[in-house]
Amino acid sequence: MRAVTWHGRHDVRVDTVPDPQIVNPRDAIIKITSTAICGSDLHLYDGYIPTMRAGDILGHENMGEVVEVGAKSTLKKGQKVVVPFTISCGDCFFCKKTQFSACDNSNPAETSDASETLMGHPMGAAFGYAHLTGGYAGGQAEYLRVPFSDVGPIVIPDGMEDDKVLFLSDILPTGWMAAENADIEEGDTVAVWGCGPVGLFAIQSAKLMGAHRVIAIDHYPNRLKLAKQMGAEVLDYREVEVLEALTEMTGGIGPDAVIDCVGMESHGLAIDNIIDTVKAHTYLGTERPHALRQAILACRKGGRVSIPGVYGGFADKFPLGQLMEKGLTLKSGQTHVQRYTKTLLEMIQQGKLNTTFMISHRASLEEAPDMYRHWHDEQDAYTKIVLKPEMAKPRTAAAEPAMATA
């Protein structure tokens, strides 16, 4: 089969690789109908996440048709399913607490040992990511092996188009959990750093959870426009001093809750971020947590901090004193996708959630290397890219523009 593979920093290729096989009775094989490039994939593209190996198959936002099942799978051939990016057994201590991304059994011993050394405890497994998370093949491919298929995938009703449900695999539950972790109360003011796909879904979720005001911070005009369409007030950090603006907008109090949807690759010319960038490029550090520092400083006393943004190591100049002295509550973590998929699917069916507005381009699998490059370099125009393995590569030009209206 054809698959998108990682070969080093800024080196993504489409290779012919062996088809996946059933190796466990709980496995299923799906034929991929849609798969997306995630912001977390750009961390791999930039070489920030360790333990990647040449030839690893990328992709953790996947859905498709079931074509083969193991003896203990609960799926049936022909069903359309969305597959959570988290691989979870359903039986361990953490899965029984619905903390699915912390699963103790999905990351094999030969790879979990390294993650235990780095993180203090073994990490849960994920599709198409580093060997710290199991080294499982991803779904930016024609076919995908799905372990624990009796736990993860959600069956999609007939007639629902892929674009409406694909993001149940990751970014929609991630945005929802980000807002949930902010413990939003009716009438709250919530500030969101980063208007990428997760940030936009966090904005939408915060409004649904009762936030009175959502203030979005970014610098890409199109992303800020989409945030406005979601009902947010917007701040372009190139044009305003964010802390001063937030203080003024909240009458000197600060936002009730703050959500960092940026993660380890903050942009900007603030002095702390310049130092972080130099350290990252000279391998003296991994994190560029400027957005998180700013969020903690902005949050009101007694407020809440939610971190869905991806971090992978140790952060310098962390404002621990401010976190403690202001009495802030902090929640973070990889998304427990399986906890949310049923509820969010129902909300999509009821029209409460808009899930297609951010798709800017659809492309064939063969165009993936170009799409990675475009999204990395042109994030204002390329807000979300969906790859369709059955789509033919056009003879000229790039992907099909597909900007939807909110």
Side-chain angles (χ1 to χ4, degrees), residues 96-176:
K96 287 180 178 178
K97 286 183 172 290
T98 72
Q99 296 172 337
F100 293 102
S101 68
C103 178
D104 246 353
N105 291 331
S106 55
N107 194 343
E110 59 267 24
T111 54
S112 65
D113 288 349
S115 70
E116 183 174 5
T117 299
L118 181 62
M119 300 295 177
H121 293 85
M123 297 172 66
F127 288 101
Y129 223 65
H131 287 261
L132 284 171
T133 55
Y136 287 90
Q140 290 174 11
E142 293 179 298
Y143 294 91
L144 173 70
R145 172 186 164 240
V146 181
F148 303 111
S149 65
D150 54 325
V151 176
I154 180 167
V155 177
I156 303 302
D158 292 340
M160 291 195 74
E161 59 187 83
D162 284 16
D163 288 351
K164 285 189 174 182
V165 293
L166 172 61
F167 302 140
L168 287 168
S169 59
D170 178 1
I171 56 174
L172 177 56
T174 297
W176 185 267

Side-chain angles (χ1 to χ4, degrees), residues 174-233:
T174 297
W176 185 267
M177 183 169 134
E180 182 181 82
N181 279 348
D183 292 331
I184 294 169
E185 300 171 359
E186 196 77 28
D188 271 352
T189 295
V190 180
V192 178
W193 274 256
C195 296
V198 168
L200 291 168
F201 277 139
I203 291 166
Q204 188 175 185
S205 300
K207 297 289 285 187
L208 285 168
M209 292 180 187
H212 175 63
R213 300 173 73 190
V214 177
I215 303 169
I217 300 108
D218 207 305
H219 71 294
Y220 291 113
N222 189 52
R223 289 185 173 188
L224 291 171
K225 179 182 177 182
L226 290 173
K228 263 190 171 181
Q229 292 175 358
M230 291 291 99
E233 302 167 62

